[in-house]
Amino acid sequence: MPNLPDHLLRRFTPETRIAFFTGAGISAESGIPTFRDKDGYWSKYDPMRLASVQGFEADPELVWNWYLYRREKIMSVKPNPGHASITKFQKLFPDSCVITQNVDGLHKQAGNQNIYELHGNIFITRCLECRQEMDVPMIFDPAKEGIPRCDCGGLARPGVVWFGESLPVQTLSDAMTQVQQVDVLFTIGSSTAVYPAAQIPFDARNNGAVVIEINPDQTPFTSHADLAMHAPSGVVLPQLFEELYAALA
Ligand code: BV8
Ligand code: ZN
């Protein structure tokens, strides 16, 4: 599909600063369900019961079972050509970063650099009370072993950002600084529905960056994009890389 129009192709030089802003869609081709697609997590579960502090406090075992299921799922898959392409892009365009809503760690596993995890990481376990990181087994059985507790007495919880929780302040601030400075931002596999992360493609646009959206569906950002490529990221990103590699050769 690619074939970037000339006026966009000309914007790319080895010095071009690029941000890859990603959501659950970039991991879909690895076999990880998204949240809002027809067979996504939120079609089966209530987000407020599974991805909020209130939901966790009401039923910590239910929430842990969901996150342990997701940990096992993620551990059984690998990054897809979309993640792998970003590693190749970052060699061609060294001044680039990844800003992700995803908690699955697949960007790091694929060798991507300068990654900002806005919503935390599913493989980190923290204390609900003092928020210290806890060194506990990645997989355990809450029914048989109970839920680990911190030295301060607090319950262990997944190290992700839930609804109603603020994003990690330094990570968000550093990511926003990048967004002010980039020449190009790709928004990939995000429904652009969850704030404050969803603000990022709009901010990039307002700062004069070229913004290209890669998503099979429309999103609230689509009409603001310089270019919308309605196709899977695992197909588009490898083609886009080849095209830019040839143009810069
Ligand atoms: C905050 C946990 C305030 C980690 C997630 C009422 C109550 C409470 C809060 C709110 C409220 N109303 C509004 C809010 C704010 C809320 C919000 O924005 N809600 C939305 C739904 C309206 N935001 C928050 O609560 C945030 N915190 O505001 O705090 C505050 C401020 C200061 C001090 C204290 C508090 C926290 C938001 C983070 C929530 N955490 N999950 C986890 O378990 O994963 S949300 C969940 O959705 C994910 O984390 C994910 O990051 C996020 C966004 O989803 P996407 O990544 O975009 O995925 P989605 O399924 O939606 O879309 C996939 C896309 O991919 C689709 O477009 C699809 O077409 C596309 N696709 C599919 N296949 C492919 C593809 N694209 C490319 N290739 C393919 N092959
Ligand atoms: Zn604690």
Side-chain angles (χ1 to χ4, degrees):
M1 167 197 238
N3 291 126
L4 276 180
D6 278 347
H7 74 283
L8 292 182
L9 210 50
R10 279 198 295 276
R11 302 288 290 263
F12 288 87
T13 72
E15 289 70 45
T16 302
R17 294 164 298 181
I18 301 179
F20 298 89
F21 172 68
T22 68
I26 197 170
S27 296
E29 288 156 275
S30 292
I32 303 291
T34 62
F35 293 88
R36 293 171 185 80
D37 283 328
K38 61 187 177 331
D39 53 353
Y41 287 125
W42 297 157
S43 66
K44 303 185 186 82
Y45 309 113
D46 169 6
M48 285 317 185
R49 277 192 72 199
L50 292 178
S52 74
V53 173
Q54 297 77 355
F56 180 74
E57 288 176 334
D59 193 341
E61 192 171 318
L62 170 78
V63 173
W64 261 116
N65 283 330
W66 185 51
Y67 278 93
L68 289 161
Y69 155 74
R70 288 175 64 196
R71 280 183 176 176
E72 288 185 301
K73 178 81 186 156
I74 295 164
M75 286 153 89
S76 72
V77 305
K78 54 187 191 339
N80 65 60
H83 299 104
S85 298
I86 292 177
T87 299
K88 294 165 82 172
F89 266 101
Q90 290 190 306
K91 290 193 175 75
L92 197 56
F93 303 99
D95 191 349
S96 61
C97 67
V98 175
I99 301 172
T100 187
Q101 297 172 271
N102 300 341
V103 299
D104 58 30
L106 290 178
H107 282 295
K108 185 157 183 251
Q109 210 179 314
N112 298 175
Q113 304 292 312
N114 306 331
I115 303 167
Y116 299 90
E117 292 183 316
L118 298 179
H119 290 164
N121 187 300
I122 198 167
F123 295 107
I124 291 174
T125 301
R126 283 194 189 287
C127 168
L128 183 67
E129 303 309 328
C130 70
R131 300 193 63 76
Q132 287 282 353
E133 257 191 68
M134 295 171 64
D135 182 12
V136 294
M138 202 59 78
I139 302 295
F140 59 92
D141 181 346
K144 283 209 194 94
E145 304 156 57
I147 297 169
R149 280 195 183 270
C150 170
D151 299 342
C152 82
L155 269 181
R157 56 157 291 176
V160 300
V161 178
W162 280 330
F163 286 110
E165 290 192 304
S166 53
L167 279 58
V169 176
Q170 194 57 54
T171 305
L172 182 60
S173 153
D174 294 347
M176 288 307 191
T177 305
Q178 294 282 353
V179 170
Q180 318 275 337
Q181 293 164 354
V182 291
D183 304 304
V184 177
L185 181 131
F186 290 98
T187 172
I188 306 163
S190 174
S191 58
T192 329
V194 177
Y195 283 82
Q199 192 56 38
I200 284 176
F202 294 93
D203 287 354
R205 191 87 182 78
N206 294 338
N207 293 316
V210 165
V211 187
I212 296 170
E213 182 176 64
I214 300 172
N215 191 324
D217 293 352
Q218 303 273 337
T219 74
F221 182 75
T222 305
S223 59
H224 302 260
D226 289 281
L227 178 66
M229 305 173 114
H230 293 298
S233 48
V235 172
V236 167
L237 283 170
Q239 291 172 349
L240 208 47
F241 173 76
E242 290 310 324
E243 198 166 293
L244 287 165
Y245 184 79
L248 267 62

